[in-house]
Every structure is written in structure tokens, then in C-alpha cells.
Amino acid sequence: MAAKYSLVHMTDPTCPPDLLIYIAAEIGYDCVGLRTIPTRLAGDAASGGMAAMKATTSGIEAFDVAHDPGMLRAIKRAAAETGVVINDTENARIFDGCDVRIYERDLEVAAELGLHHVLTNIWTDDKPFRLEQFCLLAELAAGYELTVNVEFVTWAGVKNLQDAKELLLASGADNVGIVVDALHCHRSRVDFSEFEGLPQTWFNYMHLSDIEREIPEDRETLLYNGRDERLYVGDGAIDLRALVSKMPNAVRGLEVPSVSKVKAIGAVAHARASLRKAKAYFGD
């Protein structure tokens, strides 16, 4: 089966989601991963998301499609006109004090867009609390025929594959998975042997980029690379072929945020180079 490539929104988080779909179609991506779920605090449902916590790349928050009917129509139109599949959206974050029920309208809109996968990551070290909220999020998502996929992040509460595995097993939920981001996998020092025995059904899609071999110790550098400057597939030190072999059926999401590259060559050329470099590396 031919590999499917997805243009992940974080490659250019400022790009409106409907435009991202048209760009993906022009370049030849099979699908896209959107950013349509801001981090919500209590009161967001009434305020149209204005209280969203600014905790994303360079202070750029996700597009609040749940409270923007015009944008929702534009995304639907772009998908219908291009045939590009919307594979997933992010990010229903779980953090201290949150109540994931605030994301219900976001889940409803995700289902309305025809996608099947929602990403979450965990920003609390309180294990009982994060399990409770993760189980509730999975239960809510199941009502919309959505899966909830945990992306472990090097500087988060769930920071490696073992943490994610423990969370999924403890939840007992069927509609759950793990998003393996190559950068975080490398920088969380995951040994590829840790994938042995894990269900392939957990791996719906992945995030691919590359980075130098050296792993920074300071959080600021980790944040900078993770959010603002990554390398194209094949331009760094990660053994991405070996990583992909552990999840052969997962959609290959290309998440290559790079402020410098977008500034130098433009967002479209950057997205095109991301796909070209990845296909050359994998021989597709």
C-alpha cells in the first residue's frame, strides 16, 4: 500500500486552514492535519474562544473554527473542491484544572468536517487527574466516532512513549492512539525496541521532521526547535526509516515548522520542499 502524506498545519501555523488545503492539493499531498482547537479555559464556550490560553507556536493560537461559521464553510468548500482528506485536527490539551467537556463543540465540528482523529497532549504531572480527563475526552470523542491520539512531548507531562503507553492501557478505551512525533521521539530518548508488542491500531498517523543528533538540555532550546525550527526529513540525524518501519500503516504527517525557511522561500515552497525531501528519503 502506497504511503499517504499529510501536510501538518504546524509547518506554517499562520496559514488559514482552507488555504492550507488548497496548497496541499496543489503540491500533491494526500491529506492535511489542521489546527482548529484552541486551548480552552472555563467560559470559552460563551466567549467564542476569546479566553484561549496562548500556549502554542510563537504565541500563534489555533484557528477557532467551532466559533467561526464562515471559516467552517470555507474549509468544507476547500475539501470538496480539491478532494484532499482532512485526516486529523489538534489540539484538545489536558492541563491542570481543565475540564475537557469544554472541547465538545470542537469535537462536533471535527466530525462535521469528516475527519476521524483528534490530537491531545498532556500538560499536567497529576496522573489520576490526567487519566480522568483523558478517559472523559475519549468517551466524548466516541460519541462522534473520533479517536483521541496522545502526542508525547519532551517538555510535557506525558513526555515519552512509555508515559503514553501507560495512559492508554490505564484508560481501557478502544478509540485511542499515540501520535509519534519524530523530534520528540528522538529527544525523549525513546528506544525503538519500545514499540515491540504495541498494537498497530494505536498508530493512526505520525509527525515527521528531522533534527541534529545532539539533544539540548535547556527547555528554551527544546521549545525553539520544536515550535519554530526543524529540519526537512533526511537533513538531520534521526533514523526515520527505522522509526516508520515500526508504524508502517500510519499516515506520514510532515510537520516541519521553520520560521527561517518560510521567510526565505515562502510558505508554499517550504511545504513543497517538505514533501519532496520526504519522498526522496523514503524512495516514494
Side-chain angles (χ1 to χ4, degrees):
M1 184 175 64
K4 291 184 178 179
Y5 286 90
S6 176
L7 177 56
V8 181
H9 213 156
M10 277 286 290
T11 298
D12 179 15
T14 66
C15 184
D18 56 323
L19 179 57
L20 189 83
I21 292 170
Y22 287 117
I23 290 172
E26 176 187 340
I27 294 170
Y29 284 87
D30 303 290
C31 46
V32 296
L34 299 181
R35 299 178 69 247
T36 64
I37 307 178
T39 304
R40 300 194 182 282
L41 304 179
D44 272 13
S47 67
M50 293 304 292
M53 181 173 67
K54 304 300 180 182
T56 56
T57 301
S58 303
I60 300 167
E61 188 51 275
F63 291 87
D64 193 2
V65 175
H67 297 97
D68 191 334
M71 186 178 294
L72 178 58
R73 288 192 297 270
I75 294 171
K76 289 180 177 179
R77 183 168 56 249
E81 289 178 355
T82 63
V84 170
V85 172
I86 304 172
N87 183 70
D88 57 274
T89 193
E90 58 181 66
N91 178 352
R93 292 176 180 82
I94 294 173
F95 52 92
D96 285 316
C98 80
D99 181 344
V100 295
R101 288 174 291 187
I102 201 70
Y103 296 121
E104 181 144 20
R105 173 58 182 158
D106 299 291
L107 299 177
E108 181 183 9
V109 167
E112 192 175 335
L113 288 171
L115 58 88
H116 297 291
H117 310 301
V118 172
L119 182 147
T120 184
N121 41 46
I122 314 296
W123 299 93
T124 173
D125 293 323
D126 185 336
K127 289 188 175 182
F129 176 75
R130 73 193 189 198
L131 176 60
E132 171 194 82
Q133 290 297 307
F134 181 70
C135 289
L136 178 54
L137 184 60
E139 181 182 348
L140 291 172
Y144 298 99
E145 299 184 348
L146 298 167
T147 71
V148 177
N149 302 268
V150 180
E151 178 192 40
F152 58 88
V153 177
T154 309
W155 57 86
V158 170
K159 59 177 56 67
N160 55 43
L161 183 60
Q162 184 62 32
D163 288 347
K165 172 186 174 181
E166 289 177 2
L167 182 64
L168 265 61
L169 290 175
S171 76
D174 295 326
N175 63 322
V176 293
I178 298 174
V179 177
V180 177
D181 182 302
L183 178 90
H184 298 309
C185 189
H186 173 68
R187 290 192 162 176
S188 294
R189 296 176 171 84
V190 173
D191 190 295
F192 289 170
S193 65
E194 295 178 43
F195 287 95
E196 300 303 324
L198 300 184
Q200 284 297 313
T201 53
W202 280 3
F203 303 108
N204 296 301
Y205 61 105
M206 66 184 80
H207 288 165
L208 296 176
S209 62
D210 217 333
I211 202 67
E212 295 87 358
R213 186 176 305 280
E214 182 180 356
I215 299 175
E217 296 297 330
D218 62 295
R219 189 171 185 271
E220 285 189 4
T221 304
L222 291 170
L223 285 165
Y224 173 70
N225 288 145
R227 295 175 170 182
D228 294 320
E229 286 297 338
R230 302 192 187 192
L231 301 178
Y232 293 126
V233 167
D235 283 359
I238 304 175
D239 189 348
L240 295 169
R241 294 186 187 92
L243 179 61
V244 166
S245 74
K246 302 299 182 183
M247 303 162 279
N249 301 319
V251 171
R252 297 176 185 177
L254 301 183
E255 182 176 81
V256 194
S258 176
V259 174
S260 64
K261 292 182 179 71
V262 170
K263 183 178 180 179
I265 63 176
V268 176
H270 175 50
R272 180 177 286 109
S274 297
L275 183 61
R276 176 178 55 80
K277 296 278 289 189
K279 285 191 169 184
Y281 176 85
F282 289 111
D284 294 328

